[in-house]
Amino acid sequence: MRKVSAVLPRRGEDRRGWLRGAPPPRWVRALPVALVVAICAATLVSHDPLDVGFLLGAIPPLAVLSYSPLATAVLGGAVVALLNIPAFQLDRPGNTDLLTVVFVSVLSVFVSFVRSRRDAQLDLERTVAEAAQRAVAPPLPERVGAVGCTGLYRAAQRGTLVGGDFFDVRDGPFGIRAVMGDVQGHGLAAVATVASLLGAFREAVLDQPDLVSVAARLDRRLLVDSADARHAELFATAALLEFSADAREVRVVVCGNPPPLLLRGTKATEVEVAPWTPLGLGLADAGTIEACTVPLRPGDRLFLASDGVVEARDGSGAFYPLADRLPGLAGGEAAALAERVWADLVGFCPDVDDDVTMLVLTPSPLPAR
C-alpha cells in the first residue's frame, strides 16, 4: 500500500525563517563573494583611488552566516591579500587598518566553527524529533479499503510536525473507521495526549463493535490520563466515521468537533448529526450518544476540518466561510483539495495561529451484486 506525504509538511518545506534556524537563502551565501567582486571592479574601473577598503572588513563576518570555517578562512585570507595588492589601491594608510581586518578574520573563523558545530547538533536533534513525531502521526495511506484518503496538517508551533490536532484512518473487522480530533491546547505540550488518543483509537478499531464504543474508549483514555496527572483537565473534540463494507453509507459521531461536510456535485452541506460533549468529560458513563447514518453516492466526498480552519478570521473579524468556498475549490483531483483549501485559507487569514487539520475521504462504493 503506497503512502502519501500530504499529512505533514514535506521535508523540503521548512516553515522556519532563516533567522529562526532554517538554512540561509542563496543570496546570503553569494553576498561575500559578490562584495569582493564589486569592490575589486570599482577600484579597477575608477581613475582615482576609492576609499572603500573598509568594506572588505565586513566580508569575514558575512561569511560566518553560511560558510564553513575553512571557506571563511579562505575569504579572510583573500581580503588580507587584496589589501596588499597595489593594483587595487586599497593599501593606503588610513583607508583600512590591516591588523584589525586580520583580527576580525581570525575571530570569524572561530565563530564559524562554533556555528557549524551548533548547526550539526541542531540538525541531529531535528532529525530525531521528526522521526518521533512522524511515528506519532505517520503519513496516511492513499487508500484504506474502498476509501481514498488525503490529509493535511499544519502545526501552529513553527518547526514542529505534530501539535494538538490528530487524525487517522484504519481498517478493521468492523469496517473502515476514521477519526479527527483536537486536544486541549496545541504545540509540543499536546503531543503526549495526541499519542495516547491515537493509540486508543487504533486498538478500539480492532476491538469495539460499533462507533459509539470507539468514542467511549477514547473518552475513557482521557479520563484515565487526567486522573494520573495532578490538576489535569484533559479533554478533546473529535469526529468519528465508520464506513460500511460496500462504502455506500457512513456512520458519524461528533463530540464537540465541527461536523463533516458532504461534497455532492456542486454543493457542500454539513452532515446533520446530534453533537455530543467533548471527549474526557465522562462520555463512557452517559450512554445516550447516537451515531448518524448518511447514505453515500458515487462521487461523494467527505471533508473534515479542525476548528483551526472554521474559526480562522480575517482582518475584519469574519470567520472563514468554509462551506461557501469549498464547492469552488473542489474541482480537479481530490488529492489536491486539502492543499487548495489551505492556500485559500492563508489568503483569507494570513496569520493562522492554531493547528490546522483537514481530512478528505473519498468513498468508492462497490457495485451491487
Side-chain angles (χ1 to χ4, degrees):
M1 184 178 293
R2 189 160 62 92
K3 302 289 185 178
V4 295
S5 59
V7 177
L8 302 173
R10 290 174 286 276
R11 191 174 182 84
E13 179 185 343
D14 200 330
R15 298 177 63 210
R16 302 169 297 165
W18 70 277
L19 295 178
R20 295 175 177 267
R26 293 181 179 178
W27 66 267
V28 174
R29 292 185 58 84
L31 189 58
V33 177
L35 187 59
V36 170
V37 173
I39 292 174
C40 293
T43 56
L44 291 176
V45 172
S46 176
H47 297 291
D48 300 323
L50 299 178
D51 191 12
V52 294
F54 69 95
L55 294 175
L56 292 174
I59 292 175
L62 288 175
V64 170
L65 297 175
S66 55
Y67 284 90
S68 66
L70 178 59
T72 302
V74 171
L75 285 172
V79 168
V80 175
L82 289 174
L83 292 174
N84 290 279
I85 297 178
F88 294 109
Q89 303 183 38
L90 296 173
D91 57 342
R92 295 177 179 275
N95 286 353
T96 304
D97 190 337
L98 183 61
L99 293 178
T100 301
V101 173
V102 171
F103 174 77
V104 170
S105 298
V106 173
L107 183 61
S108 297
V109 172
F110 173 73
V111 174
S112 178
F113 173 77
V114 174
R115 194 218 77 229
S116 299
R117 295 292 297 270
R118 184 207 62 185
D119 288 350
Q121 181 64 28
L122 289 177
D123 288 343
L124 175 60
E125 293 177 357
R126 179 170 175 80
T127 300
V128 173
E130 286 186 4
Q133 293 179 78
R134 289 182 186 274
V136 173
L140 278 178
E142 191 176 48
R143 293 191 67 83
V144 178
V147 179
C149 309
T150 304
L152 181 141
Y153 198 126
R154 295 294 184 268
Q157 187 169 343
R158 292 184 178 271
T160 63
L161 301 176
V162 178
D165 289 359
F166 63 94
F167 62 87
D168 200 3
V169 182
R170 296 277 165 163
D171 196 359
F174 307 103
I176 300 169
R177 290 167 173 172
V179 64
M180 168 179 281
D182 181 6
V183 306
Q184 177 190 16
H186 55 77
L188 293 177
V191 173
T193 306
V194 167
S196 180
L197 282 174
L198 284 175
F201 171 75
R202 291 160 186 167
E203 289 295 323
V205 166
L206 302 175
D207 300 334
Q208 300 303 317
D210 59 80
L211 198 59
V212 174
S213 299
V214 176
R217 176 68 67 87
L218 300 183
D219 179 78
R220 187 181 68 177
R221 179 73 268 168
L222 281 179
L223 288 175
V224 172
D225 292 346
S226 181
D228 292 339
R230 187 177 181 182
H231 303 305
E233 295 180 358
L234 297 179
F235 66 89
T237 60
L240 297 101
L241 293 84
E242 178 182 86
F243 292 88
S244 60
D246 58 2
R248 290 183 175 276
E249 65 178 22
V250 61
R251 288 173 287 278
V252 182
V253 169
V254 172
C255 299
N257 203 73
L261 292 173
L262 176 62
L263 270 168
R264 177 171 291 169
T266 59
K267 295 183 179 180
T269 57
E270 190 175 275
V271 173
E272 295 183 3
V273 57
W276 200 251
T277 57
L279 302 173
L281 303 180
L283 174 63
D285 298 330
T288 58
I289 188 170
E290 296 181 359
C292 168
T293 302
V294 180
L296 297 174
R297 303 175 187 173
D300 285 352
R301 283 175 284 179
L302 289 161
F303 188 93
L304 292 87
S306 65
D307 57 5
V309 177
V310 298
E311 294 181 1
R313 299 176 183 239
D314 63 4
S316 65
F319 289 106
Y320 178 69
L322 175 61
D324 295 335
R325 296 200 181 210
L326 192 58
L329 302 169
E333 296 184 0
L337 176 57
E339 293 285 355
R340 290 194 294 269
V341 174
W342 166 251
D344 187 63
L345 175 66
V346 173
F348 180 86
C349 176
D351 299 324
V352 180
D353 57 359
D354 196 3
D355 297 327
V356 169
T357 309
M358 305 177 205
L359 182 61
V360 184
L361 301 174
T362 308
S364 301
L366 301 177
R369 295 183 179 179

